[in-house]
PDB file of all heavy atoms in Angstrom:
ATOM      1  N   VAL A   1       0.578 -23.536 -15.287  1.00  0.00           N
ATOM      2  CA  VAL A   1      -0.779 -23.974 -15.560  1.00  0.00           C
ATOM      3  C   VAL A   1      -1.729 -22.795 -15.471  1.00  0.00           C
ATOM      4  O   VAL A   1      -1.581 -21.961 -14.546  1.00  0.00           O
ATOM      5  CB  VAL A   1      -1.211 -25.046 -14.565  1.00  0.00           C
ATOM      6  CG1 VAL A   1      -2.667 -25.462 -14.794  1.00  0.00           C
ATOM      7  CG2 VAL A   1      -0.290 -26.278 -14.650  1.00  0.00           C
ATOM      8  N   SER A   2      -2.626 -22.695 -16.392  1.00  0.00           N
ATOM      9  CA  SER A   2      -3.635 -21.617 -16.399  1.00  0.00           C
ATOM     10  C   SER A   2      -5.023 -22.242 -16.219  1.00  0.00           C
ATOM     11  O   SER A   2      -5.341 -23.239 -16.835  1.00  0.00           O
ATOM     12  CB  SER A   2      -3.588 -20.839 -17.706  1.00  0.00           C
ATOM     13  OG  SER A   2      -4.593 -19.821 -17.749  1.00  0.00           O
ATOM     14  N   ASP A   3      -5.805 -21.630 -15.354  1.00  0.00           N
ATOM     15  CA  ASP A   3      -7.169 -22.147 -15.108  1.00  0.00           C
ATOM     16  C   ASP A   3      -8.119 -20.965 -14.874  1.00  0.00           C
ATOM     17  O   ASP A   3      -7.660 -19.856 -14.629  1.00  0.00           O
ATOM     18  CB  ASP A   3      -7.145 -23.060 -13.884  1.00  0.00           C
ATOM     19  CG  ASP A   3      -8.321 -24.055 -13.928  1.00  0.00           C
ATOM     20  OD1 ASP A   3      -9.187 -23.922 -14.804  1.00  0.00           O
ATOM     21  OD2 ASP A   3      -8.344 -24.985 -13.062  1.00  0.00           O
ATOM     22  N   GLU A   4      -9.400 -21.237 -14.930  1.00  0.00           N
ATOM     23  CA  GLU A   4     -10.362 -20.167 -14.734  1.00  0.00           C
ATOM     24  C   GLU A   4     -11.657 -20.736 -14.142  1.00  0.00           C
ATOM     25  O   GLU A   4     -11.934 -21.946 -14.251  1.00  0.00           O
ATOM     26  CB  GLU A   4     -10.690 -19.461 -16.038  1.00  0.00           C
ATOM     27  CG  GLU A   4     -11.371 -20.297 -17.079  1.00  0.00           C
ATOM     28  CD  GLU A   4     -11.614 -19.549 -18.376  1.00  0.00           C
ATOM     29  OE1 GLU A   4     -10.710 -18.779 -18.805  1.00  0.00           O
ATOM     30  OE2 GLU A   4     -12.681 -19.749 -18.986  1.00  0.00           O
ATOM     31  N   VAL A   5     -12.414 -19.840 -13.480  1.00  0.00           N
ATOM     32  CA  VAL A   5     -13.717 -20.186 -12.915  1.00  0.00           C
ATOM     33  C   VAL A   5     -14.736 -19.254 -13.580  1.00  0.00           C
ATOM     34  O   VAL A   5     -14.580 -18.047 -13.548  1.00  0.00           O
ATOM     35  CB  VAL A   5     -13.745 -20.009 -11.387  1.00  0.00           C
ATOM     36  CG1 VAL A   5     -15.098 -20.354 -10.842  1.00  0.00           C
ATOM     37  CG2 VAL A   5     -12.641 -20.847 -10.733  1.00  0.00           C
ATOM     38  N   ASN A   6     -15.771 -19.841 -14.183  1.00  0.00           N
ATOM     39  CA  ASN A   6     -16.794 -19.038 -14.809  1.00  0.00           C
ATOM     40  C   ASN A   6     -18.029 -18.959 -13.903  1.00  0.00           C
ATOM     41  O   ASN A   6     -18.502 -19.959 -13.401  1.00  0.00           O
ATOM     42  CB  ASN A   6     -17.194 -19.700 -16.153  1.00  0.00           C
ATOM     43  CG  ASN A   6     -16.117 -19.583 -17.164  1.00  0.00           C
ATOM     44  OD1 ASN A   6     -16.012 -18.607 -17.900  1.00  0.00           O
ATOM     45  ND2 ASN A   6     -15.277 -20.626 -17.224  1.00  0.00           N
ATOM     46  N   TYR A   7     -18.539 -17.748 -13.712  1.00  0.00           N
ATOM     47  CA  TYR A   7     -19.686 -17.501 -12.854  1.00  0.00           C
ATOM     48  C   TYR A   7     -20.849 -17.080 -13.732  1.00  0.00           C
ATOM     49  O   TYR A   7     -20.724 -16.113 -14.507  1.00  0.00           O
ATOM     50  CB  TYR A   7     -19.388 -16.408 -11.815  1.00  0.00           C
ATOM     51  CG  TYR A   7     -18.212 -16.718 -10.924  1.00  0.00           C
ATOM     52  CD1 TYR A   7     -16.921 -16.353 -11.299  1.00  0.00           C
ATOM     53  CD2 TYR A   7     -18.395 -17.334  -9.693  1.00  0.00           C
ATOM     54  CE1 TYR A   7     -15.851 -16.630 -10.478  1.00  0.00           C
ATOM     55  CE2 TYR A   7     -17.310 -17.603  -8.856  1.00  0.00           C
ATOM     56  CZ  TYR A   7     -16.060 -17.245  -9.261  1.00  0.00           C
ATOM     57  OH  TYR A   7     -14.965 -17.525  -8.443  1.00  0.00           O
ATOM     58  N   THR A   8     -21.972 -17.756 -13.623  1.00  0.00           N
ATOM     59  CA  THR A   8     -23.157 -17.405 -14.406  1.00  0.00           C
ATOM     60  C   THR A   8     -24.227 -16.764 -13.533  1.00  0.00           C
ATOM     61  O   THR A   8     -25.099 -16.057 -14.056  1.00  0.00           O
ATOM     62  CB  THR A   8     -23.729 -18.630 -15.110  1.00  0.00           C
ATOM     63  OG1 THR A   8     -24.005 -19.650 -14.133  1.00  0.00           O
ATOM     64  CG2 THR A   8     -22.709 -19.170 -16.142  1.00  0.00           C
ATOM     65  N   LYS A   9     -24.206 -17.024 -12.233  1.00  0.00           N
ATOM     66  CA  LYS A   9     -25.212 -16.490 -11.337  1.00  0.00           C
ATOM     67  C   LYS A   9     -24.584 -15.500 -10.382  1.00  0.00           C
ATOM     68  O   LYS A   9     -23.701 -15.863  -9.576  1.00  0.00           O
ATOM     69  CB  LYS A   9     -25.899 -17.625 -10.544  1.00  0.00           C
ATOM     70  CG  LYS A   9     -27.018 -17.133  -9.640  1.00  0.00           C
ATOM     71  CD  LYS A   9     -27.677 -18.299  -8.906  1.00  0.00           C
ATOM     72  CE  LYS A   9     -28.794 -17.810  -8.034  1.00  0.00           C
ATOM     73  NZ  LYS A   9     -29.442 -18.928  -7.268  1.00  0.00           N
ATOM     74  N   PRO A  10     -24.991 -14.233 -10.422  1.00  0.00           N
ATOM     75  CA  PRO A  10     -24.405 -13.249  -9.505  1.00  0.00           C
ATOM     76  C   PRO A  10     -24.855 -13.467  -8.053  1.00  0.00           C
ATOM     77  O   PRO A  10     -25.893 -14.049  -7.800  1.00  0.00           O
ATOM     78  CB  PRO A  10     -24.942 -11.926 -10.031  1.00  0.00           C
ATOM     79  CG  PRO A  10     -26.208 -12.295 -10.737  1.00  0.00           C
ATOM     80  CD  PRO A  10     -25.992 -13.645 -11.327  1.00  0.00           C
ATOM     81  N   ASP A  11     -24.051 -12.987  -7.117  1.00  0.00           N
ATOM     82  CA  ASP A  11     -24.394 -13.114  -5.699  1.00  0.00           C
ATOM     83  C   ASP A  11     -25.328 -11.969  -5.254  1.00  0.00           C
ATOM     84  O   ASP A  11     -26.082 -12.102  -4.316  1.00  0.00           O
ATOM     85  CB  ASP A  11     -23.130 -13.092  -4.853  1.00  0.00           C
ATOM     86  CG  ASP A  11     -22.309 -14.367  -5.100  1.00  0.00           C
ATOM     87  OD1 ASP A  11     -22.614 -15.397  -4.490  1.00  0.00           O
ATOM     88  OD2 ASP A  11     -21.372 -14.334  -5.922  1.00  0.00           O
ATOM     89  N   THR A  12     -25.215 -10.840  -5.928  1.00  0.00           N
ATOM     90  CA  THR A  12     -26.140  -9.722  -5.758  1.00  0.00           C
ATOM     91  C   THR A  12     -26.650  -9.334  -7.109  1.00  0.00           C
ATOM     92  O   THR A  12     -25.834  -9.026  -7.995  1.00  0.00           O
ATOM     93  CB  THR A  12     -25.465  -8.528  -5.045  1.00  0.00           C
ATOM     94  OG1 THR A  12     -24.796  -8.937  -3.870  1.00  0.00           O
ATOM     95  CG2 THR A  12     -26.505  -7.464  -4.700  1.00  0.00           C
ATOM     96  N   ASP A  13     -27.943  -9.316  -7.303  1.00  0.00           N
ATOM     97  CA  ASP A  13     -28.500  -9.065  -8.638  1.00  0.00           C
ATOM     98  C   ASP A  13     -29.664  -8.075  -8.457  1.00  0.00           C
ATOM     99  O   ASP A  13     -30.808  -8.447  -8.242  1.00  0.00           O
ATOM    100  CB  ASP A  13     -28.998 -10.373  -9.271  1.00  0.00           C
ATOM    101  CG  ASP A  13     -29.315 -10.210 -10.749  1.00  0.00           C
ATOM    102  OD1 ASP A  13     -29.202  -9.090 -11.228  1.00  0.00           O
ATOM    103  OD2 ASP A  13     -29.654 -11.240 -11.372  1.00  0.00           O
ATOM    104  N   LEU A  14     -29.334  -6.797  -8.593  1.00  0.00           N
ATOM    105  CA  LEU A  14     -30.326  -5.745  -8.403  1.00  0.00           C
ATOM    106  C   LEU A  14     -30.333  -4.796  -9.624  1.00  0.00           C
ATOM    107  O   LEU A  14     -29.396  -4.776 -10.399  1.00  0.00           O
ATOM    108  CB  LEU A  14     -29.984  -4.916  -7.153  1.00  0.00           C
ATOM    109  CG  LEU A  14     -29.919  -5.689  -5.819  1.00  0.00           C
ATOM    110  CD1 LEU A  14     -29.374  -4.785  -4.716  1.00  0.00           C
ATOM    111  CD2 LEU A  14     -31.308  -6.256  -5.455  1.00  0.00           C
ATOM    112  N   ALA A  15     -31.394  -4.022  -9.727  1.00  0.00           N
ATOM    113  CA  ALA A  15     -31.467  -3.055 -10.795  1.00  0.00           C
ATOM    114  C   ALA A  15     -30.353  -2.000 -10.672  1.00  0.00           C
ATOM    115  O   ALA A  15     -29.804  -1.512 -11.677  1.00  0.00           O
ATOM    116  CB  ALA A  15     -32.817  -2.336 -10.797  1.00  0.00           C
ATOM    117  N   ALA A  16     -29.954  -1.689  -9.436  1.00  0.00           N
ATOM    118  CA  ALA A  16     -28.933  -0.679  -9.170  1.00  0.00           C
ATOM    119  C   ALA A  16     -27.521  -1.176  -9.324  1.00  0.00           C
ATOM    120  O   ALA A  16     -26.573  -0.369  -9.419  1.00  0.00           O
ATOM    121  CB  ALA A  16     -29.112  -0.108  -7.743  1.00  0.00           C
ATOM    122  N   GLY A  17     -27.350  -2.489  -9.391  1.00  0.00           N
ATOM    123  CA  GLY A  17     -25.996  -3.020  -9.532  1.00  0.00           C
ATOM    124  C   GLY A  17     -25.931  -4.516  -9.337  1.00  0.00           C
ATOM    125  O   GLY A  17     -26.920  -5.171  -8.855  1.00  0.00           O
ATOM    126  N   ILE A  18     -24.804  -5.095  -9.678  1.00  0.00           N
ATOM    127  CA  ILE A  18     -24.598  -6.550  -9.625  1.00  0.00           C
ATOM    128  C   ILE A  18     -23.216  -6.807  -9.032  1.00  0.00           C
ATOM    129  O   ILE A  18     -22.276  -6.032  -9.251  1.00  0.00           O
ATOM    130  CB  ILE A  18     -24.710  -7.173 -11.031  1.00  0.00           C
ATOM    131  CG1 ILE A  18     -26.161  -7.064 -11.521  1.00  0.00           C
ATOM    132  CG2 ILE A  18     -24.264  -8.629 -11.048  1.00  0.00           C
ATOM    133  CD1 ILE A  18     -26.364  -7.521 -12.950  1.00  0.00           C
ATOM    134  N   SER A  19     -23.100  -7.927  -8.295  1.00  0.00           N
ATOM    135  CA  SER A  19     -21.781  -8.287  -7.730  1.00  0.00           C
ATOM    136  C   SER A  19     -21.557  -9.783  -7.782  1.00  0.00           C
ATOM    137  O   SER A  19     -22.521 -10.551  -7.839  1.00  0.00           O
ATOM    138  CB  SER A  19     -21.675  -7.795  -6.276  1.00  0.00           C
ATOM    139  OG  SER A  19     -22.488  -8.582  -5.414  1.00  0.00           O
ATOM    140  N   TYR A  20     -20.296 -10.176  -7.762  1.00  0.00           N
ATOM    141  CA  TYR A  20     -19.879 -11.568  -7.737  1.00  0.00           C
ATOM    142  C   TYR A  20     -18.851 -11.749  -6.630  1.00  0.00           C
ATOM    143  O   TYR A  20     -18.008 -10.891  -6.441  1.00  0.00           O
ATOM    144  CB  TYR A  20     -19.282 -11.995  -9.060  1.00  0.00           C
ATOM    145  CG  TYR A  20     -20.278 -12.180 -10.199  1.00  0.00           C
ATOM    146  CD1 TYR A  20     -20.655 -11.091 -10.971  1.00  0.00           C
ATOM    147  CD2 TYR A  20     -20.809 -13.417 -10.492  1.00  0.00           C
ATOM    148  CE1 TYR A  20     -21.571 -11.242 -12.020  1.00  0.00           C
ATOM    149  CE2 TYR A  20     -21.715 -13.570 -11.544  1.00  0.00           C
ATOM    150  CZ  TYR A  20     -22.069 -12.489 -12.287  1.00  0.00           C
ATOM    151  OH  TYR A  20     -22.975 -12.648 -13.323  1.00  0.00           O
ATOM    152  N   PHE A  21     -18.940 -12.905  -5.940  1.00  0.00           N
ATOM    153  CA  PHE A  21     -17.894 -13.259  -4.970  1.00  0.00           C
ATOM    154  C   PHE A  21     -16.984 -14.268  -5.660  1.00  0.00           C
ATOM    155  O   PHE A  21     -17.425 -15.220  -6.310  1.00  0.00           O
ATOM    156  CB  PHE A  21     -18.509 -13.895  -3.723  1.00  0.00           C
ATOM    157  CG  PHE A  21     -19.449 -12.940  -2.986  1.00  0.00           C
ATOM    158  CD1 PHE A  21     -20.581 -13.401  -2.373  1.00  0.00           C
ATOM    159  CD2 PHE A  21     -19.169 -11.578  -2.932  1.00  0.00           C
ATOM    160  CE1 PHE A  21     -21.421 -12.570  -1.706  1.00  0.00           C
ATOM    161  CE2 PHE A  21     -20.025 -10.726  -2.265  1.00  0.00           C
ATOM    162  CZ  PHE A  21     -21.149 -11.205  -1.637  1.00  0.00           C
ATOM    163  N   MET A  22     -15.671 -14.040  -5.499  1.00  0.00           N
ATOM    164  CA  MET A  22     -14.680 -14.913  -6.105  1.00  0.00           C
ATOM    165  C   MET A  22     -13.671 -15.396  -5.073  1.00  0.00           C
ATOM    166  O   MET A  22     -13.069 -14.610  -4.371  1.00  0.00           O
ATOM    167  CB  MET A  22     -13.945 -14.151  -7.235  1.00  0.00           C
ATOM    168  CG  MET A  22     -14.847 -13.620  -8.343  1.00  0.00           C
ATOM    169  SD  MET A  22     -13.933 -12.764  -9.647  1.00  0.00           S
ATOM    170  CE  MET A  22     -15.264 -12.308 -10.762  1.00  0.00           C
ATOM    171  N   ASN A  23     -13.471 -16.712  -5.031  1.00  0.00           N
ATOM    172  CA  ASN A  23     -12.532 -17.312  -4.109  1.00  0.00           C
ATOM    173  C   ASN A  23     -11.165 -17.341  -4.773  1.00  0.00           C
ATOM    174  O   ASN A  23     -10.982 -18.074  -5.758  1.00  0.00           O
ATOM    175  CB  ASN A  23     -12.956 -18.702  -3.703  1.00  0.00           C
ATOM    176  CG  ASN A  23     -14.170 -18.700  -2.786  1.00  0.00           C
ATOM    177  OD1 ASN A  23     -14.171 -18.068  -1.742  1.00  0.00           O
ATOM    178  ND2 ASN A  23     -15.225 -19.358  -3.222  1.00  0.00           N
ATOM    179  N   LEU A  24     -10.232 -16.567  -4.287  1.00  0.00           N
ATOM    180  CA  LEU A  24      -8.861 -16.608  -4.843  1.00  0.00           C
ATOM    181  C   LEU A  24      -8.219 -17.946  -4.561  1.00  0.00           C
ATOM    182  O   LEU A  24      -8.398 -18.549  -3.519  1.00  0.00           O
ATOM    183  CB  LEU A  24      -8.016 -15.483  -4.231  1.00  0.00           C
ATOM    184  CG  LEU A  24      -8.484 -14.042  -4.485  1.00  0.00           C
ATOM    185  CD1 LEU A  24      -7.377 -13.060  -4.094  1.00  0.00           C
ATOM    186  CD2 LEU A  24      -8.891 -13.798  -5.929  1.00  0.00           C
ATOM    187  N   THR A  25      -7.461 -18.402  -5.540  1.00  0.00           N
ATOM    188  CA  THR A  25      -6.774 -19.680  -5.362  1.00  0.00           C
ATOM    189  C   THR A  25      -5.841 -19.689  -4.173  1.00  0.00           C
ATOM    190  O   THR A  25      -5.153 -18.685  -3.894  1.00  0.00           O
ATOM    191  CB  THR A  25      -5.993 -20.061  -6.638  1.00  0.00           C
ATOM    192  OG1 THR A  25      -5.317 -21.280  -6.401  1.00  0.00           O
ATOM    193  CG2 THR A  25      -4.977 -18.985  -7.008  1.00  0.00           C
ATOM    194  N   LYS A  26      -5.806 -20.799  -3.467  1.00  0.00           N
ATOM    195  CA  LYS A  26      -4.909 -20.939  -2.333  1.00  0.00           C
ATOM    196  C   LYS A  26      -3.496 -21.397  -2.734  1.00  0.00           C
ATOM    197  O   LYS A  26      -2.609 -21.494  -1.893  1.00  0.00           O
ATOM    198  CB  LYS A  26      -5.494 -21.963  -1.319  1.00  0.00           C
ATOM    199  CG  LYS A  26      -6.901 -21.636  -0.841  1.00  0.00           C
ATOM    200  CD  LYS A  26      -6.925 -20.434   0.058  1.00  0.00           C
ATOM    201  CE  LYS A  26      -8.317 -20.217   0.614  1.00  0.00           C
ATOM    202  NZ  LYS A  26      -8.400 -19.016   1.482  1.00  0.00           N
ATOM    203  N   THR A  27      -3.343 -21.647  -4.022  1.00  0.00           N
ATOM    204  CA  THR A  27      -2.060 -22.138  -4.509  1.00  0.00           C
ATOM    205  C   THR A  27      -0.947 -21.157  -4.239  1.00  0.00           C
ATOM    206  O   THR A  27      -0.993 -19.986  -4.655  1.00  0.00           O
ATOM    207  CB  THR A  27      -2.117 -22.412  -6.032  1.00  0.00           C
ATOM    208  OG1 THR A  27      -3.215 -23.256  -6.322  1.00  0.00           O
ATOM    209  CG2 THR A  27      -0.831 -23.024  -6.556  1.00  0.00           C
ATOM    210  N   SER A  28       0.074 -21.580  -3.505  1.00  0.00           N
ATOM    211  CA  SER A  28       1.147 -20.674  -3.081  1.00  0.00           C
ATOM    212  C   SER A  28       2.021 -20.232  -4.244  1.00  0.00           C
ATOM    213  O   SER A  28       2.665 -19.185  -4.193  1.00  0.00           O
ATOM    214  CB  SER A  28       2.024 -21.359  -2.004  1.00  0.00           C
ATOM    215  OG  SER A  28       2.585 -22.560  -2.516  1.00  0.00           O
ATOM    216  N   ASN A  29       2.033 -21.047  -5.337  1.00  0.00           N
ATOM    217  CA  ASN A  29       2.874 -20.715  -6.465  1.00  0.00           C
ATOM    218  C   ASN A  29       2.148 -19.968  -7.556  1.00  0.00           C
ATOM    219  O   ASN A  29       2.580 -19.947  -8.699  1.00  0.00           O
ATOM    220  CB  ASN A  29       3.478 -22.017  -7.066  1.00  0.00           C
ATOM    221  CG  ASN A  29       4.438 -22.703  -6.118  1.00  0.00           C
ATOM    222  OD1 ASN A  29       5.110 -22.043  -5.351  1.00  0.00           O
ATOM    223  ND2 ASN A  29       4.492 -24.018  -6.189  1.00  0.00           N
ATOM    224  N   SER A  30       1.009 -19.331  -7.201  1.00  0.00           N
ATOM    225  CA  SER A  30       0.254 -18.570  -8.227  1.00  0.00           C
ATOM    226  C   SER A  30       0.999 -17.325  -8.612  1.00  0.00           C
ATOM    227  O   SER A  30       1.611 -16.637  -7.782  1.00  0.00           O
ATOM    228  CB  SER A  30      -1.147 -18.212  -7.701  1.00  0.00           C
ATOM    229  OG  SER A  30      -1.052 -17.319  -6.614  1.00  0.00           O
ATOM    230  N   VAL A  31       0.987 -17.039  -9.880  1.00  0.00           N
ATOM    231  CA  VAL A  31       1.694 -15.866 -10.406  1.00  0.00           C
ATOM    232  C   VAL A  31       0.789 -14.903 -11.120  1.00  0.00           C
ATOM    233  O   VAL A  31       1.218 -13.864 -11.632  1.00  0.00           O
ATOM    234  CB  VAL A  31       2.851 -16.312 -11.370  1.00  0.00           C
ATOM    235  CG1 VAL A  31       3.934 -17.056 -10.607  1.00  0.00           C
ATOM    236  CG2 VAL A  31       2.302 -17.141 -12.534  1.00  0.00           C
ATOM    237  N   TYR A  32      -0.500 -15.243 -11.218  1.00  0.00           N
ATOM    238  CA  TYR A  32      -1.445 -14.381 -11.917  1.00  0.00           C
ATOM    239  C   TYR A  32      -2.828 -14.570 -11.308  1.00  0.00           C
ATOM    240  O   TYR A  32      -3.310 -15.709 -11.160  1.00  0.00           O
ATOM    241  CB  TYR A  32      -1.501 -14.768 -13.392  1.00  0.00           C
ATOM    242  CG  TYR A  32      -2.333 -13.874 -14.295  1.00  0.00           C
ATOM    243  CD1 TYR A  32      -1.819 -12.664 -14.751  1.00  0.00           C
ATOM    244  CD2 TYR A  32      -3.627 -14.216 -14.642  1.00  0.00           C
ATOM    245  CE1 TYR A  32      -2.550 -11.837 -15.576  1.00  0.00           C
ATOM    246  CE2 TYR A  32      -4.395 -13.396 -15.428  1.00  0.00           C
ATOM    247  CZ  TYR A  32      -3.835 -12.212 -15.917  1.00  0.00           C
ATOM    248  OH  TYR A  32      -4.631 -11.370 -16.725  1.00  0.00           O
ATOM    249  N   ASN A  33      -3.426 -13.479 -10.888  1.00  0.00           N
ATOM    250  CA  ASN A  33      -4.767 -13.482 -10.297  1.00  0.00           C
ATOM    251  C   ASN A  33      -5.557 -12.303 -10.859  1.00  0.00           C
ATOM    252  O   ASN A  33      -5.201 -11.139 -10.624  1.00  0.00           O
ATOM    253  CB  ASN A  33      -4.727 -13.386  -8.776  1.00  0.00           C
ATOM    254  CG  ASN A  33      -4.234 -14.643  -8.125  1.00  0.00           C
ATOM    255  OD1 ASN A  33      -4.984 -15.545  -7.795  1.00  0.00           O
ATOM    256  ND2 ASN A  33      -2.893 -14.726  -7.918  1.00  0.00           N
ATOM    257  N   ALA A  34      -6.629 -12.589 -11.598  1.00  0.00           N
ATOM    258  CA  ALA A  34      -7.427 -11.504 -12.191  1.00  0.00           C
ATOM    259  C   ALA A  34      -8.856 -11.992 -12.367  1.00  0.00           C
ATOM    260  O   ALA A  34      -9.102 -13.193 -12.495  1.00  0.00           O
ATOM    261  CB  ALA A  34      -6.845 -11.100 -13.570  1.00  0.00           C
ATOM    262  N   GLY A  35      -9.787 -11.049 -12.407  1.00  0.00           N
ATOM    263  CA  GLY A  35     -11.163 -11.386 -12.613  1.00  0.00           C
ATOM    264  C   GLY A  35     -11.933 -10.245 -13.229  1.00  0.00           C
ATOM    265  O   GLY A  35     -11.569  -9.082 -13.053  1.00  0.00           O
ATOM    266  N   TYR A  36     -12.967 -10.553 -13.984  1.00  0.00           N
ATOM    267  CA  TYR A  36     -13.775  -9.507 -14.590  1.00  0.00           C
ATOM    268  C   TYR A  36     -15.248  -9.869 -14.511  1.00  0.00           C
ATOM    269  O   TYR A  36     -15.622 -11.052 -14.361  1.00  0.00           O
ATOM    270  CB  TYR A  36     -13.375  -9.227 -16.025  1.00  0.00           C
ATOM    271  CG  TYR A  36     -13.709 -10.294 -17.035  1.00  0.00           C
ATOM    272  CD1 TYR A  36     -14.962 -10.308 -17.664  1.00  0.00           C
ATOM    273  CD2 TYR A  36     -12.795 -11.284 -17.373  1.00  0.00           C
ATOM    274  CE1 TYR A  36     -15.286 -11.264 -18.601  1.00  0.00           C
ATOM    275  CE2 TYR A  36     -13.142 -12.251 -18.337  1.00  0.00           C
ATOM    276  CZ  TYR A  36     -14.357 -12.226 -18.937  1.00  0.00           C
ATOM    277  OH  TYR A  36     -14.688 -13.209 -19.876  1.00  0.00           O
ATOM    278  N   MET A  37     -16.102  -8.874 -14.621  1.00  0.00           N
ATOM    279  CA  MET A  37     -17.542  -9.044 -14.713  1.00  0.00           C
ATOM    280  C   MET A  37     -18.110  -8.049 -15.674  1.00  0.00           C
ATOM    281  O   MET A  37     -17.488  -7.025 -15.953  1.00  0.00           O
ATOM    282  CB  MET A  37     -18.206  -8.885 -13.343  1.00  0.00           C
ATOM    283  CG  MET A  37     -18.080  -7.512 -12.720  1.00  0.00           C
ATOM    284  SD  MET A  37     -19.111  -7.249 -11.263  1.00  0.00           S
ATOM    285  CE  MET A  37     -20.764  -7.246 -12.028  1.00  0.00           C
ATOM    286  N   LYS A  38     -19.266  -8.352 -16.250  1.00  0.00           N
ATOM    287  CA  LYS A  38     -19.914  -7.464 -17.178  1.00  0.00           C
ATOM    288  C   LYS A  38     -21.411  -7.698 -17.186  1.00  0.00           C
ATOM    289  O   LYS A  38     -21.882  -8.762 -16.795  1.00  0.00           O
ATOM    290  CB  LYS A  38     -19.334  -7.660 -18.575  1.00  0.00           C
ATOM    291  CG  LYS A  38     -19.642  -9.045 -19.181  1.00  0.00           C
ATOM    292  CD  LYS A  38     -19.066  -9.142 -20.576  1.00  0.00           C
ATOM    293  CE  LYS A  38     -19.470 -10.462 -21.209  1.00  0.00           C
ATOM    294  NZ  LYS A  38     -20.899 -10.576 -21.463  1.00  0.00           N
ATOM    295  N   TYR A  39     -22.171  -6.676 -17.613  1.00  0.00           N
ATOM    296  CA  TYR A  39     -23.589  -6.840 -17.843  1.00  0.00           C
ATOM    297  C   TYR A  39     -24.122  -5.686 -18.690  1.00  0.00           C
ATOM    298  O   TYR A  39     -23.399  -4.680 -18.916  1.00  0.00           O
ATOM    299  CB  TYR A  39     -24.375  -6.959 -16.552  1.00  0.00           C
ATOM    300  CG  TYR A  39     -24.326  -5.774 -15.622  1.00  0.00           C
ATOM    301  CD1 TYR A  39     -25.232  -4.700 -15.718  1.00  0.00           C
ATOM    302  CD2 TYR A  39     -23.412  -5.725 -14.531  1.00  0.00           C
ATOM    303  CE1 TYR A  39     -25.228  -3.632 -14.844  1.00  0.00           C
ATOM    304  CE2 TYR A  39     -23.419  -4.674 -13.631  1.00  0.00           C
ATOM    305  CZ  TYR A  39     -24.330  -3.623 -13.791  1.00  0.00           C
ATOM    306  OH  TYR A  39     -24.286  -2.556 -12.905  1.00  0.00           O
ATOM    307  N   ARG A  40     -25.336  -5.828 -19.150  1.00  0.00           N
ATOM    308  CA  ARG A  40     -25.991  -4.784 -19.968  1.00  0.00           C
ATOM    309  C   ARG A  40     -26.915  -3.974 -19.056  1.00  0.00           C
ATOM    310  O   ARG A  40     -27.388  -4.457 -18.037  1.00  0.00           O
ATOM    311  CB  ARG A  40     -26.784  -5.404 -21.073  1.00  0.00           C
ATOM    312  CG  ARG A  40     -25.966  -6.101 -22.167  1.00  0.00           C
ATOM    313  CD  ARG A  40     -25.067  -5.127 -22.918  1.00  0.00           C
ATOM    314  NE  ARG A  40     -24.393  -5.755 -24.014  1.00  0.00           N
ATOM    315  CZ  ARG A  40     -24.787  -5.708 -25.274  1.00  0.00           C
ATOM    316  NH1 ARG A  40     -25.930  -5.055 -25.599  1.00  0.00           N
ATOM    317  NH2 ARG A  40     -24.090  -6.259 -26.245  1.00  0.00           N
ATOM    318  N   PHE A  41     -27.195  -2.728 -19.489  1.00  0.00           N
ATOM    319  CA  PHE A  41     -28.106  -1.878 -18.733  1.00  0.00           C
ATOM    320  C   PHE A  41     -28.977  -1.074 -19.705  1.00  0.00           C
ATOM    321  O   PHE A  41     -28.714  -0.981 -20.904  1.00  0.00           O
ATOM    322  CB  PHE A  41     -27.324  -0.931 -17.817  1.00  0.00           C
ATOM    323  CG  PHE A  41     -26.552   0.143 -18.564  1.00  0.00           C
ATOM    324  CD1 PHE A  41     -27.133   1.387 -18.846  1.00  0.00           C
ATOM    325  CD2 PHE A  41     -25.233  -0.059 -18.908  1.00  0.00           C
ATOM    326  CE1 PHE A  41     -26.398   2.363 -19.503  1.00  0.00           C
ATOM    327  CE2 PHE A  41     -24.492   0.902 -19.581  1.00  0.00           C
ATOM    328  CZ  PHE A  41     -25.096   2.092 -19.892  1.00  0.00           C
TER     329      PHE A  41
END
């Protein structure tokens, strides 16, 4: 099974940089964990 979480609001949103907090799945049978972020400057 493949699933994803989309984040639209950053946890830190500054002119100098942006960050997101991501909760990794607790599923013991997970075989793929990846995340990305992007923005314009």
Side-chain angles (χ1 to χ4, degrees):
V1 177
S2 179
D3 204 352
E4 65 183 40
V5 180
N6 291 272
Y7 302 87
T8 56
K9 183 179 180 181
D11 293 277
T12 309
D13 193 357
L14 302 172
I18 294 174
S19 72
Y20 287 86
F21 299 144
M22 300 182 179
N23 290 303
L24 298 192
T25 177
K26 303 291 185 181
T27 306
S28 59
N29 294 328
S30 66
V31 294
Y32 186 83
N33 288 271
Y36 71 87
M37 63 170 291
K38 65 180 185 65
Y39 63 86
R40 294 295 186 98
F41 70 89

